[in-house]
Amino acid sequence: MPNTPPATSPIIPSPASGHAEGVSNDEFRAAMSRLASGVVLVTAREAPLDPDDPGAPSGEDVGMTATAFMSVSLDPPLVLVSLREGSRMDDLLAEQDLWGVSVLAESQRHIAGRFAMKGRVSDRLLFADIPYTRGEYTDAPLVGGALAVLECRTEQRVPAGDHVLVIGRVLTARVPSADGGPLTYFRGRYRHLA
């Protein structure tokens, strides 16, 4: 008779936590913190409150630091960013489909930290002293000195737990700066490659 491995019971989510049995938030967070990732600034230009009224306040630039960003496809060129459900960026990209991405250099740690703050001041003030250009198609701020900048149009939004995965078609991709290494995020801190 062949030697068969013992049957294993399927991992069933605990009703109280929604997590697989034996996996706590802290354990999951600690395990995932061991995965190094690049750091990007996702940006978009919010539309004016009333486009028909010239006296109405103009739209505001919005930015968000993201470490869950990746290439999805070469043909067509697609990228994916994970947004916390209900965040300002998630709400904005649910209303409009154009956005930008700046791949941050190791010298831009201050930008990543600024746009990752909780309870922060208005985004208008956060952009005040950061050099940027406007995307040709998106009008989104693209950070000067970034290793690469992309303009994207949302193709698909996929709910995933407490986040939304936004898949975007890349409209433009440029590599304006070849200087310096990438800013990375590892074990809960911004780092640079040694």
Side-chain angles (χ1 to χ4, degrees):
M1 182 173 216
N3 193 4
T4 57
T8 58
S9 62
I11 296 176
I12 300 170
S14 162
S17 71
H19 289 281
E21 289 179 14
V23 179
S24 71
N25 287 352
D26 290 340
E27 290 167 331
F28 180 68
R29 190 176 291 116
M32 291 297 96
S33 75
R34 283 1 186 227
L35 177 65
S37 59
V39 183
V40 301
L41 185 68
V42 179
T43 55
R45 177 79 176 161
E46 189 175 45
L49 293 176
D50 185 357
D52 297 328
D53 179 1
S58 63
E60 189 172 78
D61 293 324
V62 178
M64 181 201 86
T65 302
T67 56
F69 176 78
M70 62 181 281
S71 167
V72 173
S73 167
L74 184 60
D75 187 16
L78 299 174
V79 293
L80 177 150
V81 65
S82 178
L83 307 176
R84 186 174 41 81
E85 185 179 27
S87 66
R88 182 160 185 212
M89 187 62 73
D90 175 41
D91 291 344
L92 179 56
L93 295 189
E95 295 174 9
Q96 67 178 48
D97 61 358
L98 296 173
W99 41 285
V101 176
S102 300
V103 178
L104 299 181
E106 60 191 357
S107 62
Q108 296 176 315
R109 178 185 305 207
H110 64 290
I111 295 173
R114 180 183 296 187
F115 284 91
M117 288 187 305
K118 291 188 184 345
R120 62 194 195 203
V121 297
S122 93
D123 284 33
R124 180 178 50 81
L125 297 174
L126 296 179
F127 280 103
D129 63 345
I130 295 174
Y132 63 84
T133 59
R134 293 227 171 258
E136 178 184 355
Y137 295 98
T138 63
D139 203 32
L142 302 172
V143 176
L147 296 180
V149 292
L150 307 153
E151 291 186 89
C152 305
R153 183 183 65 236
T154 301
E155 294 273 304
Q156 190 176 1
R157 292 173 54 87
V158 181
D162 58 3
H163 278 63
V164 175
L165 307 179
V166 179
I167 299 170
R169 180 182 292 256
V170 178
L171 305 174
T172 66
R174 291 184 291 113
V175 182
S177 175
D179 296 335
L183 182 61
T184 58
Y185 192 72
F186 180 68
R187 295 184 72 176
R189 294 178 53 202
Y190 297 116
R191 304 182 186 254
H192 59 86
L193 298 178

